[in-house]
Amino acid sequence: MEDKKLLEIKDLKVSFFTPAGEVKAVDGISYSLGYDEVMGVVGESGSGKSVEAYSIIGLLQSPGKVIGGSITFEGEDVLAFSEEQMRDFRGNKVSMIFQNPMTCLNPVYTIGNQLTEAITCHDKSVSKEEARRRAIEMLTLVGINNPEKRMNQYPHEFSGGMRQRAMIAMALICKPKLLIADEPTTALDVTIQAQILEVMKDIQKEEHTSIIFITHNLGVVAEICDKVSVMYAGKIVEQGSVNDIFYNPQHPYTKGLLASMPRLDQDTHEKLIPIEGTPIDLLDPPQGCNFGPRCKECMKICLSKKPPYAQVGDEHISACWLHFKGNREE
Amino acid sequence: MEEAKKLLEVRNLKKYFPVKTGAFRKKQYVKAVEDVSLDIYKGETLGLVGESGCGKTTLGRTIIRLYEPTSGKIVYDGQTIYDSENHIAVDMLPYRRKKQIIFQDPSASLDPRMTVGEIIGEALDIHKLYPGKAERRERINELLDAVGLNTEHSNRFPHEFSGGQQQRIGIARALAVDPEFIVCDEPISALDVSIQSQVVNMLEDLQEKLGLTYLFIAHDISVVRHISNRIGVMYLGSLVELADSFELYSHPIHPYTKTLMSAVPIPDPDVTRARQRILLEGEIPSPINPPSGCRFHTRCPYATDECKERTPILKDYGNGHFAACHLLEKA
C-alpha cells in the first residue's frame, strides 16, 4: 500500500526440537506489512500460522526456536531485542489477542485493574485517574455498555463475546501499531463473531492499526482483510490481495480450499470437491512440495524438488511448479 | 416431500435439567428444550442450527432418548416410544438398532483402550448380530471399507488415527447395526477445513447408498445448508423457524433467522462486503430464567408488548415454511 513498511519478515524459520525429532513449524516464510493494512493468514491446524505470529511478539516457548531469517519492525531487528526491549515492544507497538479470552484474562483481578495495569506498566507517569479514564474510554470504544460498572467486574462475570471485547480493549489500550489477532472469533458464535468483526473493522478505521488476522475461516478473511497469505505445512504457498486469492487463486491448495467449502449463498446443490488425503507429518516432510502428496495436478518434479515462488500478478505470488511448466516447454 | 413417509414425529418435547444455584442451593431447571414439535421424513436430512446453548444437541439426544424427556411425545415409524401423558416409555434396545448417533469429538467418543475392531464390533455383540466369528470379522471389514479405512486398521487403537480418520471410525460404529436414522451431532466441527468436505461427502454417499435419514446438528450454517433438505433454527430451546434449506437462506421470515443468516461470513470479498448486516444487541439470556413470551423478545428489534406476554406458536406460512413469530401472524 505505502512505500514504508511496518513489518518485514524475511525467510523466517522456526523449529520445535522434540524428542521425536525436529519439527519445522515455520519453514522459510517472507512477507511485509504496510501501515494501516490488514493481512489474513489462513491455514489448517499445524500449518504454522500461530507459531509465526508468536515469534514476532517473542512469545515462542521452548522447545520452539527461531533458527533463521529476520523480523524487522519499523527498521528495528526484533530478534535482537533484549528481554527489556521486548517488554517495551510488546503492548506499546505490537499486541495480540488470542482465541480463548478466558485463559488470557486473570480471573482474580477485575477487568479495570487489568486494563489500567497495561497502561501504567508501559508509562509510569500516567496517574491512576488518567489510566482509569482511558480504560473506560477504551471499553466504550469496543462496545461494552456501562463501562464504569464493568470496570469493577471480574472476567467470570463477562460473557464470551464481552471477554473478547475486553481483550481487544486491553490489546489496543497503548495504541499499538500492529495487532496480531490469533483466531479471535473461532470460539464465538456467529452472531457474536459478527459483532466482534464490526468492532475490529471500526477500530481499524479509526486508529489505523495494522492487523495480522490469523484464522481458518475464509469467510472472515474475505470480510476484513486487504491481503492474504495462505499457509500449508510451514510455508506460505500463495500470497496476494484479497481479490487475487478469492477470484484468481493460483495455487492448487488455495483452489482446493475454496472449492471444498460450501457457500451459504449458493442456490445449487453441487457436491463439494474435497482435498483428498491428510495433512503431512511435519516430523517427516516430503522431499518435494509439501502439498504434492495431496495435489491433483502433481507432477514428477513436485515430488523431488521444493517449488520456488512465481510472480503471478502484482504482489501476487504462488509457490507451485505448475507456473513454470510453460517456460520449460518453450 | 409432502407424500414422503414420516419417520419421526416429535410433539411438544421438553427437556429440563435440574441445577442448584445461588447461596441457598435453590433447585432450578435449565430449560434446554422447550416445547419443540417437528417431523422428520424418511430419507431426508433435517438440519438443526443455532448458537451454542440453544439446545440443539439436547434436542438431538432427547429424540433418540439418550436423555429421558421431561415431557412430550415421540413417535418413531408409527410406534409411540415415549408419551408423557399416557405414561408410555418403551424399552429402547430394539430401537437403538434403528437410531444411531455420531458425536462431535471423535477422540472423546472412542474408548482409548479398545481397538477399532472391538469398538465397531461391540454394537454387533450387543444386538447379537453376525454371531459367527468369520461373519463378524467380515462385517467389520465391510464397514471399514465403507468409510474409507483399510481393513488392517481394525487392530489399531484410536490414538493412532488422525481426527478425520477417528470420525470415520465413529461413523462406522454408527453404521454397524444397519440403522435407519442417524443423529449427526456436530460431526465435522472438530475437523480441519480440508477434511470437513471429505466427511460431508462421505455422509452424503452413505445416505444415498443405505437410504439413511439424518438429523444433522451443527453451528456452521453453510455446511448444514449444503447437506440438508430442510433446516430448523433454534433459539434458547425453542424452534423458531423450519423451512426448506434454500428457502431458509433466500427468504428467512423470523427476525432471528434473518440476523443469523446475515452474520455468516461468505468467502467472497465483494459479496460479503456489500451485504447489509443485521447486528443483534446483547447476548443470549440464561436458559434458567428465559424471557417470558417469545424468548427472542429481549433482543428482537421489532418486539412489541404482545411478544413479552404471549409465546408465539410455530405455524405454517405456506409450502412447509414454519415460523413462530407474532409479527407474521398479523401480516
Side-chain angles (χ1 to χ4, degrees):
Chain A
M1 299 262 160
E2 280 174 54
D3 289 316
K4 248 185 101 195
K5 294 292 177 204
L6 176 68
L7 175 76
E8 263 197 293
I9 292 184
K10 278 206 182 106
D11 202 28
L12 182 72
K13 287 182 179 167
V14 183
S15 282
F16 284 76
F17 295 92
T18 67
E22 180 186 352
V23 174
K24 289 179 178 166
V26 173
D27 192 11
I29 65 168
S30 307
Y31 64 82
S32 60
L33 186 71
Y35 288 91
D36 198 7
E37 199 171 33
V38 182
M39 184 175 85
V41 180
V42 199
E44 295 175 59
S45 41
S47 62
K49 53 193 196 304
S50 297
V51 171
E52 168 250 307
Y54 284 168
S55 44
I56 298 173
I57 199 166
L59 288 178
L60 209 59
Q61 280 185 341
S62 171
K65 227 176 170 178
V66 177
I67 54 165
S70 67
I71 302 174
T72 320
F73 187 88
E74 293 195 302
E76 286 179 285
D77 182 2
V78 175
L79 294 174
F81 279 169
S82 67
E83 197 45 44
E84 204 171 318
Q85 282 172 309
M86 200 67 206
R87 216 175 303 140
D88 185 54
F89 174 67
R90 276 198 289 258
N92 259 346
K93 291 181 178 154
V94 182
S95 63
M96 187 152 181
I97 48 181
F98 300 88
Q99 177 171 353
N100 190 342
M102 196 57 206
T103 52
C104 306
L105 293 166
N106 193 330
V108 298
Y109 288 107
T110 61
I111 294 287
N113 202 325
Q114 297 184 54
L115 277 169
T116 47
E117 185 192 13
I119 303 172
T120 47
C121 234
H122 287 292
D123 190 354
K124 297 261 188 313
S125 64
V126 180
S127 73
K128 244 186 174 174
E129 290 72 40
E130 168 67 10
R132 193 177 157 81
R133 195 190 56 74
R134 267 168 58 184
I136 291 176
E137 195 183 287
M138 211 59 219
L139 286 179
T140 319
L141 189 69
V142 295
I144 291 184
N145 294 328
N146 240 329
E148 283 90 0
K149 186 183 148 207
R150 288 294 196 177
M151 286 284 284
N152 302 322
Q153 288 185 332
Y154 291 89
H156 75 266
E157 297 175 82
F158 279 51
S159 67
M162 283 295 159
R163 277 180 212 140
Q164 197 57 283
R165 284 170 199 257
M167 277 298 299
I168 296 174
M170 203 174 294
L172 294 175
I173 203 154
C174 292
K175 308 222 179 292
K177 291 186 172 127
L178 174 65
L179 174 69
I180 301 172
D182 186 7
E183 307 251 11
T185 60
T186 308
L188 307 173
D189 278 314
V190 272
T191 56
I192 310 295
Q193 167 173 290
Q195 291 175 357
I196 297 290
L197 285 179
E198 290 301 319
V199 167
M200 290 186 74
K201 279 201 278 190
D202 289 347
I203 287 177
Q204 207 275 327
K205 248 183 230 152
E206 238 166 79
E207 311 272 333
H208 303 289
T209 317
S210 292
I211 301 177
I212 295 179
F213 203 106
I214 301 167
T215 179
H216 62 258
N217 188 330
L218 286 170
V220 173
V221 170
E223 190 166 328
I224 196 166
C225 299
D226 302 318
K227 62 180 192 180
V228 186
S229 296
V230 182
M231 284 189 76
Y232 186 79
K235 284 183 180 301
I236 292 179
V237 293
E238 186 168 1
Q239 188 173 66
S241 74
V242 73
N243 286 343
D244 288 340
I245 298 293
F246 283 92
Y247 298 132
N248 186 21
Q250 292 295 319
H251 195 279
Y253 178 64
T254 319
K255 287 184 197 168
L257 266 190
L258 286 167
S260 71
M261 282 181 53
R263 279 180 53 167
L264 190 61
D265 59 338
Q266 245 160 16
D267 42 10
T268 51
H269 193 99
E270 275 164 26
K271 269 251 147 121
L272 301 176
I273 308 158
I275 302 175
E276 298 298 339
T278 46
I280 60 161
D281 180 4
L282 283 171
L283 276 169
D284 181 25
Q287 195 192 352
C289 173
N290 283 343
F291 187 58
R294 299 177 74 186
C295 185
K296 275 185 188 147
E297 298 170 82
C298 186
M299 302 176 291
K300 254 189 198 154
I301 189 163
C302 302
L303 295 175
S304 56
K305 270 178 92 175
K306 301 259 185 237
Y309 285 109
Q311 196 78 35
V312 288
D314 291 344
E315 307 201 0
H316 185 183
I317 53 168
S318 163
C320 181
W321 282 114
L322 283 173
H323 307 307
F324 299 94
K325 205 174 164 188
N327 292 355
R328 283 193 302 144
E329 276 166 6
E330 275 165 26
Chain B
M1 199 55 68
E2 250 65 53
E3 307 95 67
K5 211 173 141 239
K6 259 186 218 173
L7 185 67
L8 194 78
E9 220 182 308
V10 177
R11 290 290 171 267
N12 306 93
L13 194 70
K14 285 184 190 173
K15 177 66 197 171
Y16 294 174
F17 293 104
V19 281
K20 284 182 179 161
T21 52
F24 300 105
R25 295 322 232 164
K26 204 173 112 199
K27 197 168 175 185
Q28 287 183 306
Y29 291 94
V30 173
K31 294 168 181 159
V33 173
E34 181 80 308
D35 228 357
V36 170
S37 302
L38 52 84
D39 296 325
I40 300 175
Y41 295 96
K42 216 169 188 142
E44 79 164 339
T45 302
L46 179 71
L48 215 47
V49 295
E51 296 175 80
S52 44
C54 72
K56 51 191 194 303
T57 293
T58 309
L59 178 62
R61 291 186 179 188
T62 313
I63 282 178
I64 56 170
R65 283 184 64 203
L66 274 186
Y67 292 150
E68 203 53 29
T70 305
S71 73
K73 187 178 170 185
I74 305 169
V75 179
Y76 182 81
D77 214 2
Q79 281 152 323
T80 307
I81 56 171
Y82 182 86
D83 188 348
S84 58
E85 262 173 46
N86 300 316
H87 304 287
I88 300 174
V90 299
D91 175 27
M92 281 304 285
L93 188 64
Y95 292 97
R96 294 264 177 256
R97 245 202 88 181
K98 297 177 181 170
K99 298 155 80 170
Q100 283 288 317
I101 184 165
I102 301 166
F103 296 96
Q104 171 170 9
D105 185 351
S107 59
S109 61
L110 302 173
D111 190 328
R113 288 182 295 184
M114 287 165 83
T115 64
V116 171
E118 284 165 358
I119 288 171
I120 298 172
E122 194 183 19
L124 299 177
D125 300 341
I126 290 172
H127 293 282
K128 304 190 178 63
L129 305 167
Y130 304 95
K133 239 185 177 173
E135 273 178 285
R136 186 171 175 275
R137 183 169 309 129
E138 202 174 302
R139 173 66 181 160
I140 291 169
N141 289 346
E142 187 187 308
L143 287 162
L144 285 172
D145 189 51
V147 296
L149 292 172
N150 293 333
T151 44
E152 56 267 30
H153 285 153
S154 67
N155 293 321
R156 293 203 201 160
F157 289 93
H159 74 263
E160 296 174 67
F161 294 90
S162 67
Q165 287 172 317
Q166 287 179 349
Q167 196 54 286
R168 285 167 194 266
I169 299 167
I171 295 171
R173 174 176 62 183
L175 292 175
V177 292
D178 263 327
E180 298 166 341
F181 175 65
I182 298 182
V183 175
C184 308
D185 186 6
E186 307 252 13
I188 56 161
S189 11
L191 308 177
D192 262 322
V193 195
S194 73
I195 308 296
Q196 286 188 352
S197 49
Q198 293 177 5
V199 175
V200 167
N201 277 4
M202 193 179 68
L203 285 171
E204 286 183 322
D205 291 342
L206 288 169
Q207 177 169 42
E208 213 169 283
K209 221 164 48 188
L210 306 171
L212 299 166
T213 306
Y214 290 144
L215 176 66
F216 195 92
I217 302 166
H219 63 263
D220 186 338
I221 300 163
S222 317
V223 172
V224 175
R225 214 232 42 177
H226 174 82
I227 199 169
S228 309
N229 303 103
R230 295 188 303 147
I231 297 179
V233 181
M234 286 188 76
Y235 182 78
L236 210 58
S238 314
L239 195 63
V240 296
E241 189 164 354
L242 178 72
D244 173 83
S245 60
F246 294 120
E247 169 91 4
L248 191 77
Y249 173 71
S250 51
H251 301 108
I253 53 178
H254 193 282
Y256 177 65
T257 316
K258 286 183 187 170
T259 333
L260 198 62
M261 292 295 160
S262 81
V264 180
I266 291 174
D268 185 327
D270 289 346
V271 173
T272 201
R273 283 168 204 221
R275 251 177 357 147
Q276 198 59 42
R277 177 172 275 168
I278 312 163
L279 280 182
L280 275 188
E281 291 291 314
E283 317 265 338
I284 302 184
S286 153
I288 295 178
N289 273 316
S292 60
C294 173
R295 289 182 161 200
F296 188 53
H297 86 252
T298 51
R299 299 170 79 194
C300 181
Y302 314 105
T304 61
D305 286 341
E306 191 189 8
C307 304
K308 287 175 199 160
E309 285 149 22
R310 231 160 38 85
T311 311
I313 302 157
L314 201 69
K315 279 187 188 157
D316 192 344
Y317 289 93
N319 294 326
H321 194 145
F322 292 88
C325 180
H326 290 310
L327 284 173
L328 297 165
E329 284 174 20
K330 282 180 199 126

